[in-house]
């Protein structure tokens, strides 16, 4: 039996080139906040035991609506931060799965390296090899390895 770990790229954030403050403080845009809120609907049937995020603001903001609706604490983990070694991120994914289904929010570079590593290890992959903001890779963990992975597009950023 496998345990799903949902590896989510942060929702749409303020432009990196226009943002003049430290990058770790860069927030989601209005569209990104709507996208983050849409995760609660997208995953409403999915039970989660843990929610983990890069400590950067936009990542925490991406999972906050999910944490609020589930009544779960939102943990931060440096292993999900930009530039983190992919082996550390993969080890966190595996160890987190031992506690049950989880959602982890990470940077594009960490997600890219993790997916590339799975492809190189010939893990069965379903869907396009994309890394769009707000999108999810569902990693099915079996013991100490990822058994398969599936791409889930970002939820729509509908105006309300």
């Amino acid at each position: 039996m496998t345990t799903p770990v949902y590896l989510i790229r942060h929702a749409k954030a303020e432009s990196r080139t226009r943002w003049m403050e430290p990058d770790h403080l860069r927030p989601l845009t209005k569209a990104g906040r709507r996208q983050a809120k849409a995760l609660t609907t997208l995953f409403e049937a999915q039970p989660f035991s843990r929610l983990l995020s890069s400590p950067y603001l936009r990542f925490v903001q991406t999972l906050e609506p999910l944490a609020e609706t589930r009544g779960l604490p939102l943990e931060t983990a440096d292993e999900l931060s930009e530039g983190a070694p992919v082996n550390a991120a993969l080890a966190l994914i595996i160890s987190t799965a031992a506690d049950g289904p989880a959602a982890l929010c990470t940077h594009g570079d960490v997600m890219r390296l993790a997916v590339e590593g799975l492809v190189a290890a010939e893990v069965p992959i379903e869907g396009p090899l994309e890394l769009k903001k707000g999108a999810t890779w569902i990693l099915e963990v079996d013991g100490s390895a990822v058994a398969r992975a599936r791409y889930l597009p970002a939820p729509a950023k509908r105006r309300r």
Side-chain angles (χ1 to χ4, degrees):
M1 189 161 111
T2 62
T3 302
V5 174
Y6 295 74
L7 191 62
I8 303 165
R9 184 159 181 212
H10 72 81
K12 178 133 177 69
E14 294 293 336
S15 167
R16 186 183 292 250
T17 56
R18 289 193 299 257
W19 184 252
M20 303 312 278
E21 295 183 45
D23 188 55
H24 71 277
L25 298 176
R26 189 160 50 100
L28 295 180
T29 61
K30 286 181 184 178
R33 289 192 298 275
R34 286 191 299 272
Q35 198 175 37
K37 188 171 181 180
L39 290 175
T40 63
T41 302
L42 183 66
F43 297 134
E44 71 183 338
Q46 175 57 52
F48 290 113
S49 59
R50 292 177 70 188
L51 303 173
L52 290 91
S53 169
S54 162
Y56 288 44
L57 178 61
R58 60 193 176 275
F59 300 86
V60 171
Q61 289 178 325
T62 298
L63 289 186
E64 277 179 338
L66 200 54
E68 289 170 12
T69 61
R70 301 301 180 91
L72 286 173
L74 180 49
E75 306 168 58
T76 59
D78 290 335
E79 297 91 335
L80 298 172
S81 294
E82 189 169 42
V86 70
N87 290 343
L90 288 171
L92 179 66
I93 290 165
I94 301 297
S95 68
T96 301
D99 297 328
L104 283 65
C105 191
T106 193
H107 296 252
D109 67 319
V110 174
M111 183 179 272
R112 178 181 52 78
L113 291 171
V115 171
E116 286 174 356
L118 296 174
V119 169
E122 299 182 359
V123 170
I125 303 284
E126 183 182 320
L129 295 177
E130 293 186 358
L131 307 166
K132 297 190 180 198
K133 290 184 175 123
T136 302
W137 275 95
I138 304 170
L139 309 178
E140 293 288 341
V141 177
D142 187 3
S144 62
V146 176
R148 65 186 159 275
R150 179 169 56 98
Y151 180 76
L152 184 62
K157 299 174 282 193
R158 293 187 185 113
R159 293 191 181 273
R160 294 186 184 182

